Structures are given as structure tokens and as C-alpha cells.
Amino acid sequence: MENINEALENLNRNLDGRNYRSAIRFDEFLKILTERPQAVIRNVIQVFHDMIRSYVGEGKDEYPDDPESINFVYYDCSKLFVEGADHPFFADRLFANRLFNRIETLRHGTLQNKLYIFEGPAGCGKSTFLNNLLMKFEEYANTLAGRRYEVVWHLDRKLLGGRLDIENLPMVARLVRQLVAHDGQSTEPLVDEHQFSQAINEFVEVPCPSHDNPVLLIPKANRRAFFDDLFQNDKFKWTLFTEKEYEWVFRDNPCTICSSLYETLLARLGSPMKVFDMVCAREYRFNRRIGEGISVFNPGDKPVQQNVLSNPMLQGRINGVLQDSNAVRYLHSHHAKTNNGIYALMDIKSHNVERLIELHNIISEGVHKVEDIEENVKSLFLALMNPEDKANIKDIPSFSDRIEYVRVPYVLDLNTEVEIYRATFGRHIDSSFLPRALHNFARVVISTRLSPRSEALLDWIPDPRKYSLYCDDNLQLLKMEIYTGHIPPWLTEDDRKAFTAKRRRSIIAESEGEGEQGFSGRDSIKMFDQFFTTYSDDDKLINMSMLYQFFSSTLPREEQKEIPRGFLDSLLRMYDYTVLQEVKESLYSYNEEQISRDIQNYLFAVNFEPGRAEVCRFTGDRLEITSEFFEDLEQRLLGTDANERTRLSFRRDTQKEYTAKALTQEIMLEGKKITETQLFTALHERYIHNLKERVLEPFLDNENFRGAIRDYNTEGFRTYDTRTQEDVTFLMHNLCNKRHYTEHGAKEVCMYVIDNNLARKFAPR
């Protein structure tokens, strides 16, 4: 029992007050209003906006200093759609920007009711998206940050002099009344009706079924003056009186029940202050499961038979305390429960088509007829729709200007696609792939979802073939990078400068017509499962050869046809060239000081004819300026294939630029060192590039080198000569430390480069 009591006490302490909805007086509400005006004066749209901002925060721009930026930023939506969700939804960069732009427009735009339809193909995750969004909205709305208040009336029996309605008392209260009213002998009651009404309850509590904000009870004609008196002249007061998003505060009316109560009480009491003494406020609690604040309807949910809701017991109490059965009619519809909340339709088909038709007048006019009473409805109306279901609303043309579409296509951001694989199969899958191979799987999937031809990209880069080492002929690989917010470093300087804001908007705009065809999200998961099961091996990492084989051979013919022609070959070429450069740079070891001296000596020597001996003014080295001297350095600068004519032409051009600009302008006028001139920088880049190009040549046909890579960090590695051990160790360390390979991955990528003869495949011609 001790453990039970302790457990119950701890539970009571942890839950104490969490769901307690105590009402506060109107003057107490006004005090909170003055302390937290932006939080208290919010309609559902403002809360919805604040909720999303609360969970997501500001977007991150990877290029903050880019003058051509179009604010296509990264939003971390994990707290909104992933954390705490049974089925996470992954919003790619395109959808996140689309959603946030719409949210900003929604908050600052028109106050008219609208229906926001999230449209996308089957398998894109629409239902998961909306369920997670509503879950977070409910969670946020029931916290202090999202808290709003609703009207609840406390009708004072004593002040109003109303009679006690015995018939509508709860059974227990009626029994108690009988017991305390008579002593068993006398027929006279021991207490009068008024005393008993106080014993039972001093007031009748009447909640507003439409969840009206208490500020709406202030008569419209007096609201501006009231708020002018209530608030100091600060930023919020200026915003309240001038911004469109707060027009509802001065325009909206309270519900018919609250209006009737106010008018009746004012007539009875003759004083607005006495009326407001009976007005209280309490938290507006959201509960999707009982349809309070959030109502979600699936297509198979049959419409309710009873459209008019009442509360006979409460109606009797109201009649009793007001002594008038016609003054206030406590009638409302199901829509009142989501007034200032969210009304959502999961797919517009079957019974949800009927519900949409019913919403027509509500969305258009903002009112709903309940018998002869007009009911205000200001909700956030959301719906999901498959593209083929648009036919269900084509016969309601007047509805078209009240519908806003937000596309939810298949994922087009490769980083998001990879996150879906990790979430589905576990983050450990990364350890089974060579770097880039996992993301390349996502690239193949996304290629089926993109348009095969991009006019915006071709307007920017008319000749895609110049990027054949990095991209496909349709520039889909480039578009994928842009869709992730990444500007590839392999673009030329001219193309980078031509990547203007106008062109960026055109490229991003093309995404509005993509993502409805190709492999769906479900197809992708199924495909990845098959691929991973087939090729994952503890002893061998998944590489591009396996990926190429899967998509070109293992996959059924019909699915292979979805992949754009030539895309796999381009992807393989890009991968091969990239990893070759990584291996070259990791193997390449150079003496920076010696390279600098060579270039300085060359720049000095080009001013003399062969056959001279001179001391270099830059390095102090004594130079024997011969044809062999020039040939040795020019082969390092131009490559071993450069003939004598090419070398002589290069030497003359270098000497001309040296005298015309480097010496006379940069060194003599600007006071730069020779190593700071543009000419030196250009020659330095040439020198490094050609050294790297030739770095693998000594190892191409060297089986000893291949074996040493295979045996690295094993006992067998010690059997190789010292130079080979040093070269392989240097290569492995650089791949692990600079390129973030694991030791296993570094060994395998080197074997991949050697076994596929990539150095010769990309050798200069």
C-alpha cells in the first residue's frame, strides 16, 4: 500500500492543475490581456502561424551574402513533423518554403474564410503531414505559449432573482433537497428555495459553444475607444489599430447565444458593468478526439443525423435564472465546436464531398443557419485531395475563388529522401555504403519525378555538355543540387555570375509542375528495401557498381523505363570522376615552398633567351637558363603532352603578361610581391593541377600498390617496401581525415578506382 500511495501522490503532483479549467473574472482576464496582448488577442490563423514558427524557427540561408538570393532557405521541420510522431513526415526544402510562404500570406492576408487544399498524388504522405500538423497544433494550443481564452458566463442567481428549476437539477441534488427540506414530521421545508440554490450553486455556468474570445463581448462601436484606454501607446497598440491581421478584433461579432445573453442581462440589470461582472474567461482547450477545437473527417465517416445541438438541462437553468424561456436559446451546430479552431477533411471523396458542399455557404459567407438562428463560423478549413478528385468540386464554380491549393508532391530534395530511408530502416544503413552511394540512390529515384527538360536551366546553360563530368545532358543533377539549396562549386565563374535571382525563381517555379509522376514514396521505400537486402554485406560496402547494376538490370523493365535515358551513365561518370579526384588529392604530397620557387624562377627566366646564366631577383637562385630548363618547368605547367610549339607560345604569352601587368602594374605601382600577382596565382593553379593529374601514374599497373591497399593495417602490410607503406599510409590517413571515409571505406574506394581503371578513363586527351 505504501508503494501505491506514493505512486498516486507523485501522479497527483505531476498532473496537478494540468487540465484544470478554472474560470477567471473579466477584470482578471483584462489584466492578463494587458500583460500578454499578442498572445491573448489571437484568432486561429494567428495561433496557427505562431505554432509553426515556434516549432520551426527562422530559416537558414547558406549563402547570406549572396546578392542574388531569393530567400530559398532551409527550414528544420523535425520538431513539427518528426519528433513525437508515430509516423514522421519529412518536408523537403521545396515544400517547406512553399508552406512557410503560404503561412505568412495567410496571416497578413484577407480575413475571409478560405479552404486550404493540400493536393498531391497517392503515396506522397499527405495524410501523415496533416495528422502530424494537427497533433502539434493541439499540443501547442494547450500550452501557455498557445493559450487562448473563451467566454463562459456565470449567471448570478441572487442578483437576477431567478427561480430554482428543480426539474433540471441533477438526481443527487434533488434527493439531497428532499432530505434537507423536511424534518420527517413537518411538511414545511427547513430552507427556502434561495438558500438551497446557494447551497447547490450560486450561479449558472453557460459556456460559449463557439469559443468566442471575451474581447468580442465589448460592443463593436466601443472597442477602439476601449482598447485606446486599456493599452499604452506602444508597438502592439499601433499594430492592433493598423495591421490587417487584427481587423477581426474590430469587425467580428460574438455568437448569437452570447449576444442574446448580453442584451437580456443589460435590459434586466441596466448596467454594462453588472453584465461584465457575470462574464468570465477560461482556457480554450483543444481535443481532437472529441471534436473540440479540431474536427477531422475521413471519407467513410457518415454525416451525423442531428445537425442542431442543444442542452435541455442547461436551457432549463438559463430559463429559470432569467425567468424567460425565449430570451436565450442555447442552440448551436457541430461547426460551433471548431469555431476559431480547425475543420479538416481527409480526402475530398465519398461523404466528404457532401461535407464540402455543406461548407460552401459557411466559407463564402462566414455564417451558418441553425434553425432560425445565424451562427458565426470563423475556422481554419483544411482538406487533402488527390489530383484526380478535382472533378468532385468542378460543379461548384463559385467556390473556386475561396480555395487555395498547396502542393504536396513526392520528395524532390535528395537530402530529405535519404532522411526517409534512415528513418525507415535505421541510421545504421550509412555504415553499409561508400560515401555518396546512398545519396546517389536517392538521385536515381528523384530523377523519375523531375521533368525531363528544363527550359529555365537551358536558358541559363545552353550547352550542358561542358559539364559532362559532373552532370547529365538534361541538367537534372544540377537541378537536384539547386533544389537542396546548394550551388555546385564546379560551375564556371561566368555561369555562377549568371545565376541571377530571376533565373533562380524560374528554376524553383518549375518544381510546381514536378513530383506527381515517377516512383512514389511507397515505391521508393519498397525499392530501397530490395536493394539493401540484396547488396548489404558486412565484408563489402555498397558501391556505385552495385547501384548501377540494380537499376539497370535487377529492377523490372517497366520500372527501368521510368529512369531518364542516359541518367544512370551520367551519374556513374560524375561519381567516378569525383572519387578519382578525392583519391588523387589524398595521395598527392607536394612541397609548397619548392613549387613557389619554381614558378618565381620561371617568371624571371622567361625574360631571357636560352644560353644565359642569371641570378633570380625573386629567389636568389643561380639559374642556368637552357632549353631543358624551360621544358622541365613547362611540362609541369602544361602537362607532359605539350609539344615544343605549344610551350614556346605559352612562354611568350607569359612573358608578355609579366611585363605588361605583373611587373609594371602590380609590383611597381601597387607594391605587391611577385607571389601576390594574378599571374603567379594562375601558374600556381596550373602547376598543382598537373601534379595531381599525374599522381596516380606510377601506381596504375603496380600490383604491389593494390595489394598494399588491400592489406593495409594487417600483418601482411609490413611485407611491402618502405616507400609503398609510406604512400599507402599517407593516402589512407588523408581519405579518413580530410574526406571523412572510414578505414574500410577508404580501402574500398581505392580498390574501386584502381579496379575500374578510372585514372585512364579520365586521362587528358
Side-chain angles (χ1 to χ4, degrees):
M1 284 300 297
E2 184 178 344
N3 291 342
I4 293 173
N5 289 335
E6 182 180 356
L8 289 173
E9 286 176 6
N10 288 335
L11 179 64
N12 180 63
R13 185 165 50 252
N14 292 331
L15 296 178
D16 185 36
R18 184 170 295 182
N19 294 308
Y20 183 57
R21 302 175 67 196
S22 59
I24 58 175
R25 297 193 313 271
F26 190 69
D27 58 341
E28 294 175 326
F29 165 75
L30 293 179
K31 184 175 183 296
I32 296 173
L33 174 59
T34 57
E35 293 170 350
R36 302 172 54 234
Q38 286 180 304
V40 176
I41 302 184
R42 288 185 293 180
N43 60 15
V44 63
I45 291 173
Q46 291 165 315
V47 174
F48 189 71
H49 170 276
D50 294 346
M51 178 272 296
I52 291 180
R53 282 296 181 190
S54 171
Y55 284 114
V56 179
E58 296 298 321
K60 177 185 176 183
D61 189 349
E62 294 90 344
Y63 304 94
D65 300 322
D66 189 342
E68 298 294 333
S69 173
I70 59 170
N71 199 38
F72 181 60
V73 299
Y74 167 71
Y75 291 104
D76 182 1
C77 297
S78 57
K79 290 182 180 178
L80 183 61
F81 296 126
V82 178
E83 293 181 13
D86 293 334
H87 303 285
F89 173 81
F90 294 90
D92 71 6
R93 193 181 188 111
L94 290 159
F95 177 72
N97 276 266
R98 194 178 295 131
L99 177 64
F100 273 78
N101 291 339
R102 188 55 57 91
I103 292 299
E104 290 299 327
T105 304
L106 174 66
R107 175 167 186 169
H108 299 291
T110 177
L111 292 173
Q112 293 177 323
N113 277 336
K114 284 197 173 185
L115 174 64
Y116 295 89
I117 296 180
F118 294 89
E119 177 192 11
C124 69
K126 299 187 301 297
S127 298
T128 303
F129 153 75
L130 186 54
N131 278 320
N132 293 356
L133 185 67
L134 296 177
M135 178 188 73
K136 289 298 182 178
F137 181 81
E138 181 178 351
E139 177 185 286
Y140 175 80
N142 290 329
T143 64
L144 177 61
R147 180 181 299 170
R148 284 183 295 157
Y149 291 87
E150 63 182 358
V151 172
V152 56
W153 294 85
H154 283 183
L155 306 181
D156 192 322
R157 294 180 186 274
K158 181 178 180 181
L159 186 61
L160 293 171
R163 59 181 172 78
L164 184 65
D165 188 355
I166 298 173
E167 294 305 316
N168 285 303
L169 283 175
M171 182 62 69
V172 173
R174 291 164 63 186
L175 178 61
V176 170
R177 180 180 185 279
Q178 294 298 321
L179 292 174
V180 301
H182 300 278
D183 61 5
Q185 298 176 359
S186 170
T187 59
E188 294 299 319
L190 298 178
V191 296
D192 62 23
E193 295 290 348
H194 180 68
Q195 288 175 321
F196 180 69
S197 70
Q198 285 188 312
I200 297 296
N201 207 335
E202 293 184 354
F203 54 80
V204 173
E205 184 176 275
V206 183
C208 172
S210 295
H211 309 290
D212 280 340
N213 191 307
V215 300
L216 295 183
L217 290 179
I218 301 166
K220 287 171 66 173
N222 303 99
R223 285 180 198 168
R224 285 192 176 272
F226 178 80
F227 289 129
D228 193 26
D229 293 335
L230 186 66
F231 295 121
Q232 296 180 354
N233 294 325
D234 56 12
K235 182 179 179 181
F236 174 76
K237 184 175 179 179
W238 173 261
T239 303
L240 176 66
F241 279 28
T242 60
E243 292 292 329
K244 196 173 186 66
E245 65 179 286
Y246 286 104
E247 281 186 5
W248 67 270
V249 177
F250 305 101
R251 193 187 73 173
D252 284 3
N253 294 307
C255 77
T256 308
I257 295 172
C258 290
S259 298
S260 301
L261 276 170
Y262 182 88
E263 294 296 332
T264 303
L265 292 174
L266 186 61
R268 288 282 301 276
L269 301 173
S271 167
M273 285 295 293
K274 290 182 180 180
V275 176
F276 280 107
D277 282 342
M278 296 189 191
V279 175
C280 293
R282 70 180 179 190
E283 298 172 31
Y284 181 1
R285 301 291 295 183
F286 285 74
N287 189 329
R288 170 180 171 174
R289 296 189 67 184
I290 62 174
E292 204 66 57
I294 301 174
S295 287
V296 182
F297 298 96
N298 291 303
D301 298 335
K302 293 183 178 180
V304 294
Q305 298 299 317
Q306 185 181 1
N307 292 319
V308 179
L309 303 179
S310 62
N311 187 328
M313 184 179 293
L314 179 58
Q315 183 70 64
R317 292 176 182 172
I318 294 172
N319 294 343
V321 75
L322 295 180
Q323 301 180 25
D324 189 338
S325 61
N326 294 317
V328 177
R329 298 182 64 195
Y330 199 82
L331 298 176
H332 60 90
S333 74
H334 290 282
H335 294 290
K337 300 183 73 174
T338 52
N339 185 52
N340 240 331
I342 297 179
Y343 183 102
L345 301 177
M346 291 284 189
D347 289 331
I348 300 178
K349 58 181 64 175
S350 188
H351 294 301
N352 277 350
V353 177
E354 302 171 36
R355 291 188 176 95
L356 183 64
I357 294 172
E358 182 190 355
L359 287 177
H360 183 238
N361 284 337
I362 295 175
I363 293 177
S364 298
E365 306 300 332
V367 294
H368 178 58
K369 204 75 171 177
V370 182
E371 292 188 353
D372 57 346
I373 294 173
E374 280 193 350
E375 180 178 79
N376 298 328
V377 182
K378 300 291 183 183
S379 303
L380 181 57
F381 297 99
L382 307 177
L384 303 180
M385 178 187 283
N386 291 327
E388 61 270 18
D389 293 330
K390 273 191 176 181
N392 293 330
I393 61 174
K394 68 178 182 180
D395 295 329
I396 321 177
S398 59
F399 216 171
S400 59
D401 63 331
R402 294 302 183 101
I403 295 178
E404 296 276 351
Y405 290 97
V406 182
R407 293 188 65 255
V408 190
Y410 299 139
V411 168
L412 299 177
D413 175 345
L414 66 97
N415 293 328
T416 304
E417 184 75 12
V418 170
E419 280 302 311
I420 293 172
Y421 302 150
R422 289 169 177 158
T424 306
F425 299 97
R427 303 195 73 85
H428 67 278
I429 61 173
D430 287 83
S431 62
S432 298
F433 287 81
L434 277 175
R436 293 189 182 82
L438 177 57
H439 284 73
N440 282 345
F441 186 98
R443 285 183 171 95
V444 177
V445 169
I446 292 173
S447 72
T448 69
R449 301 169 179 172
L450 298 178
S451 299
R453 180 180 173 86
S454 170
E455 297 299 334
L457 284 172
L458 290 173
D459 175 69
W460 174 30
I461 302 174
D463 182 16
R465 289 174 296 179
K466 67 180 179 180
Y467 292 122
S468 60
L469 293 175
Y470 306 99
C471 206
D472 57 296
D473 291 344
N474 296 322
L475 298 174
Q476 286 189 325
L477 288 169
L478 174 58
K479 178 178 274 191
M480 289 181 204
E481 293 297 313
I482 294 171
Y483 281 179
T484 66
H486 181 235
I487 302 174
W490 41 260
L491 290 170
T492 65
E493 186 62 25
D494 287 342
D495 285 338
R496 180 66 176 80
K497 289 178 180 178
F499 192 38
T500 61
K502 182 179 179 181
R503 283 203 167 103
R504 297 179 195 193
R505 290 191 186 93
S506 297
I507 294 168
I508 297 301
E510 289 187 339
S511 69
E512 292 293 332
E514 297 175 317
E516 292 190 0
Q517 71 283 337
F519 298 146
S520 71
R522 298 189 189 103
D523 293 336
S524 176
I525 293 296
K526 180 181 176 182
M527 214 172 290
F528 185 87
D529 184 30
Q530 181 186 355
F531 173 71
F532 190 71
T533 303
T534 304
Y535 292 100
S536 61
D537 189 330
D538 292 338
D539 297 327
K540 191 169 181 61
L541 298 179
I542 297 173
N543 59 36
M544 276 299 295
S545 297
M546 300 171 185
L547 189 146
Y548 187 91
Q549 181 183 11
F550 176 78
F551 281 110
S552 62
S553 303
T554 308
L555 211 61
R557 270 281 183 211
E558 288 304 310
E559 294 180 347
Q560 289 182 39
K561 291 178 181 178
E562 296 278 351
I563 303 170
R565 181 175 296 178
F567 182 83
L568 280 176
D569 294 322
S570 297
L571 183 64
L572 181 63
R573 183 170 60 249
M574 177 191 74
Y575 175 81
D576 287 351
Y577 183 76
T578 303
V579 296
L580 175 63
Q581 302 312 306
E582 286 184 342
V583 171
K584 283 182 176 181
E585 290 176 10
S586 298
L587 185 59
Y588 172 57
S589 175
Y590 60 90
N591 185 326
E592 180 61 48
E593 182 181 354
Q594 185 59 51
I595 293 173
S596 178
R597 295 182 75 88
D598 285 347
I599 296 171
Q600 291 179 67
N601 287 336
Y602 181 75
L603 287 175
F604 176 79
V606 294
N607 297 288
F608 301 93
E609 294 295 328
R612 299 279 296 272
E614 299 287 341
V615 175
C616 178
R617 58 175 290 197
F618 304 122
T619 64
D621 293 342
R622 180 177 176 78
L623 306 179
E624 295 292 335
I625 304 174
T626 62
S627 296
E628 290 75 16
F629 168 85
F630 282 122
E631 182 178 359
D632 178 55
L633 286 176
E634 285 162 356
Q635 283 186 341
R636 300 183 193 185
L637 292 166
L638 300 174
T640 55
D641 295 335
N643 56 35
E644 185 176 3
R645 182 178 178 182
T646 301
R647 290 190 291 103
L648 285 172
S649 176
F650 176 79
R651 195 183 312 163
R652 285 194 297 269
D653 291 343
T654 302
Q655 194 274 334
K656 185 184 298 182
E657 186 172 352
Y658 171 78
T659 56
K661 184 177 180 182
L663 178 63
T664 57
Q665 183 176 329
E666 295 181 272
I667 296 175
M668 297 177 68
L669 289 179
E670 299 176 18
K672 291 183 178 180
K673 297 178 181 179
I674 183 66
T675 53
E676 296 172 344
T677 63
Q678 292 182 12
L679 180 57
F680 177 90
T681 301
L683 293 181
H684 185 272
E685 290 176 356
R686 277 181 170 274
Y687 199 118
I688 297 294
H689 174 77
N690 282 292
L691 279 179
K692 289 179 182 178
E693 284 299 315
R694 300 201 304 269
V695 71
L696 275 176
E697 288 178 3
F699 309 109
L700 291 179
D701 299 313
N702 188 344
E703 280 297 320
N704 205 38
F705 183 69
R706 184 184 185 282
I709 291 173
R710 182 193 60 223
D711 296 334
Y712 176 70
N713 218 9
T714 67
E715 287 296 324
F717 187 64
R718 298 180 181 179
T719 63
Y720 296 92
D721 62 87
T722 302
R723 179 60 186 272
T724 300
Q725 287 187 49
E726 290 176 351
D727 287 338
V728 171
T729 300
F730 182 79
L731 172 61
M732 294 293 115
H733 283 178
N734 281 341
L735 283 172
C736 292
N737 297 331
K738 296 181 179 180
R739 296 296 176 179
H740 310 297
Y741 282 85
T742 62
E743 184 181 295
H744 188 188
K747 291 169 70 171
E748 288 213 14
V749 78
C750 290
M751 302 290 283
Y752 179 87
V753 167
I754 294 171
D755 291 347
N756 287 281
N757 209 7
L758 298 188
R760 286 199 174 94
K761 177 180 177 181
F762 295 102
R765 295 175 182 175

